[in-house]
Amino acid sequence: MLQAIVKLCCGIAHDHLRKLPGLKTAATAVMQELGGSCCLPSEIPPCIQRLVEKDAARCAKPEADVQPTSTNLSYIHQGETALQQALAILHQPHRWQPETVPDTGTAVSSTVLPGLGHIFRAEAVLAVPADRLQGELFERLEEMPRWNPSLSSVEVLCRAGEDTLVTHEVTAAGPVGRRDFVSTRHRCRTQAGICLVGTAACLELPPTPQGCVRAEMRLSCIVLQPLPGDTSCTRITWLLSMDLKGWIPILVANRVLPQCQAEFIGHLRRHLSATACP
């Protein structure tokens, strides 16, 4: 069951991805690491167990007559690889240490992982359906600076597919100065929820705006899951690992990032409340 999920989430079932170099090997490695087990350790939150244990089924598939370019396929491959990495992190139990953050109804914890360094996990429940949330966080990314004051601009540089974007985000002035990011973002829908993953784009790098430092999103994964018995509410789990670059000490960055997660969810909560349907 779990191996089938990994295959579906990684796009191996799609003919146009089967020939991507290294994709099948990477997915096989993940499945070997997971050991083919359909039972997850008890330390993993039940909501994440439901996400990984249930069969994955894409709700939106590319049209049959669309032939992605090699560049777009590279972005799709990168997004699928980031998804594999995030699912592996969600599957394995880790020692998460609580972080002190503003009281926005968000719990943030952290751990250290090889290749990623510090990774932060934010958890909250929002009183909106999961599909509306993914609309705000994926389909309407360019509107995000209207309700998130920490961003000055978000631009979609490339739409590699219905579920894969390349974006350029520029932050507003803040405690660590202005940063900009060029990211590959990928969406995967499953029966248990929606995964929105992001990682630093490997291609299509526009120049850094004046006064900014080009930072790097190592991995971001937002999991949106309807609450059992109440689909009007959504549990959000957000993994984040980021390299802010520049002259920012690691200790400072590790204090700023969890606070940024909590503040972002706070801004999102207020935006959703202000735009709620009567």
Side-chain angles (χ1 to χ4, degrees):
M1 182 76 73
L2 187 56
Q3 292 184 4
I5 295 170
V6 175
K7 285 184 178 181
L8 284 169
C9 287
C10 299
I12 293 177
H14 295 284
D15 291 338
H16 69 281
L17 293 179
R18 286 177 178 164
K19 297 182 180 181
L20 284 176
L23 178 58
K24 198 166 186 177
T25 303
T28 302
V30 172
M31 289 188 288
Q32 290 175 346
E33 181 180 346
L34 300 181
S37 170
C38 62
C39 297
L40 299 182
S42 59
E43 294 88 345
I44 298 175
C47 58
I48 299 300
Q49 294 189 31
R50 289 193 296 273
L51 174 73
V52 184
E53 286 173 355
K54 289 190 177 183
D55 288 339
R58 290 188 181 275
C59 297
K61 297 181 181 179
E63 296 179 5
D65 59 348
V66 174
Q67 297 297 325
T69 65
S70 59
T71 300
N72 288 349
L73 286 175
S74 296
Y75 293 137
I76 295 171
H77 182 195
Q78 190 181 19
E80 299 286 2
T81 301
L83 177 61
Q84 296 169 28
Q85 185 180 22
L87 287 176
I89 293 171
L90 290 171
H91 173 80
Q92 298 294 339
H94 300 287
R95 293 183 177 179
W96 295 93
Q97 301 296 323
E99 296 284 339
T100 302
V101 296
D103 185 11
T104 60
T106 303
V108 183
S109 53
S110 66
T111 191
V112 179
L113 298 178
L116 287 174
H118 265 85
I119 185 165
F120 300 92
R121 181 182 66 185
E123 299 172 287
V125 174
L126 300 178
V128 292
D131 199 56
R132 185 186 171 195
L133 272 176
Q134 70 84 26
E136 297 288 349
L137 300 176
F138 189 85
E139 295 175 359
R140 295 185 291 278
L141 270 171
E142 291 179 309
E143 299 177 15
M144 197 175 288
R146 297 180 183 178
W147 53 264
N148 182 5
S150 66
L151 288 172
S152 64
S153 68
V154 177
E155 179 185 2
V156 175
L157 301 176
C158 170
R159 296 185 183 272
E162 192 167 0
D163 295 311
T164 307
L165 308 173
V166 180
T167 62
H168 182 215
E169 308 100 51
V170 181
T171 69
V176 297
R178 298 181 67 211
R179 296 291 189 273
D180 79 317
F181 302 83
V182 182
S183 308
T184 299
R185 297 178 179 271
H186 185 73
R187 172 178 59 187
C188 177
R189 298 173 181 265
T190 75
Q191 292 179 356
I194 303 169
C195 292
L196 307 175
V197 296
T199 188
C202 57
L203 300 172
E204 191 80 27
L205 300 179
T208 300
Q210 187 174 5
C212 281
V213 173
R214 174 63 49 81
E216 182 177 291
M217 184 189 297
R218 297 192 187 104
L219 180 67
S220 173
C221 178
I222 297 177
V223 177
L224 306 174
Q225 294 177 280
L227 286 187
D230 186 2
T231 57
S232 66
C233 293
T234 303
R235 180 184 300 279
I236 178 171
T237 305
W238 178 13
L239 299 179
L240 179 65
S241 176
M242 189 176 288
D243 185 353
L244 294 176
K245 303 294 186 180
W247 296 97
I248 305 299
I250 294 178
L251 289 177
V252 173
N254 290 342
R255 288 197 190 99
V256 168
L257 289 176
Q259 294 193 27
C260 288
Q261 282 184 291
E263 290 172 359
F264 176 87
I265 293 178
H267 294 315
L268 176 59
R269 193 189 301 274
R270 287 187 289 273
H271 168 66
L272 295 169
S273 177
T275 57
C277 297

